[in-house]
Amino acid sequence: MQPVSLTRFLLEEQRAKGLINADLRLLIEVVSRACKSISIAIGKGSLGGALGSAGSENVQGEVQKKLDVLSNEILLEANEWGGHLAALASEEMDDPHPIPHRYPKGEYLLVFDPLDGSSNIDVNISVGTIFSVLRCPDGVSEPDAQAFLQPGAKQVAAGYAVYGPNTLLVLTLGDGVHVFTLDREMGSFILSQQNLRIPEETSEFAINMSNQRHWEAPVQRYIGELVAGTTGPRARDFNMRWVASMVADVHRVLTRGGIFLYPRDTRDSSKPGKLRLLYEANPMSFIVEQAGGAASTGHQRILDVQPAALHERIAVILGSKNEVERVSEYHKTV
Ligand code: AHG
Ligand code: MN
Ligand code: MN
Ligand code: MN
């Protein structure tokens, strides 16, 4: 059978299910092309002169890597001329980026983490790009941050690229999760898996154990049980993985199951977690739920959270449904 390219897949989704229109199809294709460029820049490593620190700080207070800034620029330049977007927002920009007046505007908002896991880039560990697509609210001609403050359940599409041993694009349009592998010779993303499903049970957890003393009681209890050895019908030896690139950890969970936690901790009550809601938690939660998993703050479904700020942080507990539900139960009782 002929390999199915991303372009063909999107066209067939448009014809068969009317899930997307020409503008959204262009948006996804443009973002995928930008991810190809980012993959090439990353692949050059030190030969591309793009490793190390950019010497600047982003709104998160993080020192930006050169590739954080480069990836952000690649995504901006790829998207601003297409006429499909009303504005863009990013981890690496304080405020939304307006579409220059010389270009037409479209109905969509794109919010993204241009390089996720950037602390790993200088040590050659997998990193990624995460993106989320929203509709621009009716009647908003000059979208500001307020236009982006929509619950994750309003997303029309979400995806990520993982730059690992091979480069993958994982995408949901709201009708299942599909995986495309970059064919470097052709320069095309080729459909490699459709309708990914996360196993409801797992024996693998992902959390940064060095923060244990800061966790709240329900997470202490849950992880304590896994480390001590579960008993009864759930008795099994749990394994632990922590890549410190959300994209890599979530892709593993999507592929073979698992539970990923970056919980809120007691260090800073102003920060209810490390991960950002709009361009990390929401797109990943949309994808995980579309693959039959669950995504919770511990207290509520992440996709139901009403954002109050563009760079708002949130607690993230996502993956195999039965384990996420157990942690949520512990948040009710402890
Ligand atoms: P980013 O590189 O986009 O700032 O995101 C990094 C995030 C996420 O990718 C990962 O899960 C988490 O930071 C790792 O945090 P720790 O380094 O505290 O483990
Ligand atoms: Mn960062
Ligand atoms: Mn990130
Ligand atoms: Mn980032």
Coordinates of all heavy atoms in Angstrom, one line a residue, residues 58 60 62-65 68 91-92 113 115-119 274 276 279-280, ligand 2:
N58 N 13.4 34.2 29.6 CA 12.0 34.3 29.1 C 11.1 34.7 30.3 O 11.5 34.9 31.4 CB 11.5 33.0 28.5 CG 11.5 31.9 29.4 OD1 11.5 32.1 30.7 ND2 11.5 30.6 28.9
Q60 N 9.2 33.2 31.9 CA 9.1 32.1 33.0 C 10.3 32.3 34.0 O 10.3 31.6 35.0 CB 9.3 30.7 32.4 CG 8.8 30.6 31.0 CD 7.3 30.5 30.9 OE1 6.6 30.1 31.9 NE2 6.7 30.8 29.8
E62 N 13.3 31.6 33.0 CA 14.2 30.6 32.6 C 15.3 31.2 31.7 O 14.9 32.1 30.8 CB 13.5 29.5 31.8 CG 12.5 28.7 32.5 CD 11.6 27.9 31.6 OE1 11.6 28.2 30.4 OE2 11.0 27.0 32.0
V63 N 16.5 30.8 31.8 CA 17.5 31.2 30.8 C 17.3 30.5 29.5 O 17.1 29.3 29.5 CB 19.0 30.9 31.3 CG1 20.0 31.2 30.2 CG2 19.2 31.6 32.6
Q64 N 17.1 31.2 28.4 CA 16.7 30.6 27.1 C 17.9 30.0 26.5 O 19.0 30.5 26.5 CB 16.1 31.7 26.2 CG 14.8 32.2 26.6 CD 14.3 33.4 25.8 OE1 15.1 34.4 25.6 NE2 13.1 33.3 25.2
K65 N 17.7 28.8 25.9 CA 18.7 28.2 25.1 C 18.6 28.8 23.7 O 17.6 29.3 23.3 CB 18.4 26.7 24.9 CG 18.4 25.9 26.2 CD 19.8 25.7 26.7 CE 19.8 24.8 27.9 NZ 21.2 24.6 28.5
D68 N 15.8 27.4 21.9 CA 14.5 27.9 22.3 C 14.1 29.0 21.4 O 13.0 29.1 20.9 CB 14.5 28.4 23.8 CG 14.4 27.3 24.9 OD1 13.7 26.3 24.7 OD2 15.1 27.5 25.9
E91 N 5.7 29.9 24.7 CA 6.4 29.9 26.0 C 7.5 31.0 26.0 O 7.8 31.6 27.0 CB 7.0 28.6 26.3 CG 7.9 28.6 27.6 CD 8.8 27.4 27.6 OE1 8.8 26.5 26.8 OE2 9.7 27.4 28.5
E92 N 8.0 31.3 24.8 CA 9.2 32.1 24.7 C 8.8 33.6 24.4 O 9.7 34.4 24.2 CB 10.2 31.6 23.7 CG 10.6 30.1 23.9 CD 11.2 29.9 25.3 OE1 11.7 30.8 25.9 OE2 11.2 28.7 25.7
D113 N 4.8 25.5 22.7 CA 6.1 25.4 23.4 C 7.1 25.0 22.3 O 7.2 23.9 21.9 CB 5.9 24.3 24.4 CG 7.3 24.1 25.2 OD1 8.3 24.6 24.8 OD2 7.2 23.2 26.1
L115 N 10.3 24.6 22.0 CA 11.3 23.5 22.3 C 11.0 23.1 23.8 O 11.3 23.8 24.7 CB 12.7 24.1 22.2 CG 13.8 23.0 22.3 CD1 13.8 22.1 21.0 CD2 15.2 23.6 22.4
D116 N 10.5 21.9 23.9 CA 10.2 21.3 25.2 C 11.3 20.4 25.6 O 11.8 19.6 24.9 CB 8.9 20.5 25.2 CG 8.6 19.9 26.5 OD1 8.4 20.6 27.5 OD2 8.6 18.6 26.5
G117 N 11.7 20.6 26.9 CA 12.8 19.8 27.4 C 14.2 20.4 27.1 O 15.2 19.7 27.0
S118 N 14.2 21.7 27.0 CA 15.4 22.3 26.5 C 16.6 22.1 27.4 O 17.7 22.3 26.9 CB 15.2 23.8 26.1 OG 14.4 24.4 27.0
S119 N 16.4 21.8 28.7 CA 17.5 21.5 29.5 C 18.3 20.3 29.0 O 19.4 20.0 29.4 CB 17.1 21.3 31.0 OG 16.3 20.1 31.0
K274 N 4.8 23.1 37.9 CA 5.8 23.6 37.0 C 5.3 23.8 35.6 O 5.7 24.8 34.9 CB 7.0 22.7 37.0 CG 8.1 23.2 36.0 CD 9.3 22.4 36.0 CE 10.3 23.0 34.9 NZ 11.6 22.3 34.8
R276 N 3.2 24.4 32.1 CA 2.3 25.5 31.8 C 1.0 25.0 31.2 O 1.1 24.1 30.3 CB 3.1 26.4 30.8 CG 4.1 27.4 31.4 CD 5.2 26.8 32.2 NE 6.1 25.8 31.5 CZ 7.3 26.1 31.1 NH1 7.9 27.2 31.3 NH2 8.0 25.1 30.5
Y279 N 0.2 25.6 26.8 CA 1.0 25.0 25.8 C 1.8 23.7 26.2 O 2.6 23.3 25.5 CB 2.0 26.0 25.2 CG 2.6 26.9 26.2 CD1 3.8 26.6 26.9 CD2 2.1 28.2 26.4 CE1 4.4 27.4 27.8 CE2 2.7 29.1 27.3 CZ 3.8 28.6 28.0 OH 4.4 29.5 28.9
E280 N 1.5 23.2 27.4 CA 2.0 21.9 27.8 C 0.9 21.0 28.2 O 0.5 20.0 27.6 CB 3.1 22.1 28.8 CG 4.4 22.7 28.3 CD 5.4 23.0 29.4 OE1 5.0 23.5 30.5 OE2 6.6 22.7 29.2
Ligands
MN2 MN 11.5 26.5 29.0

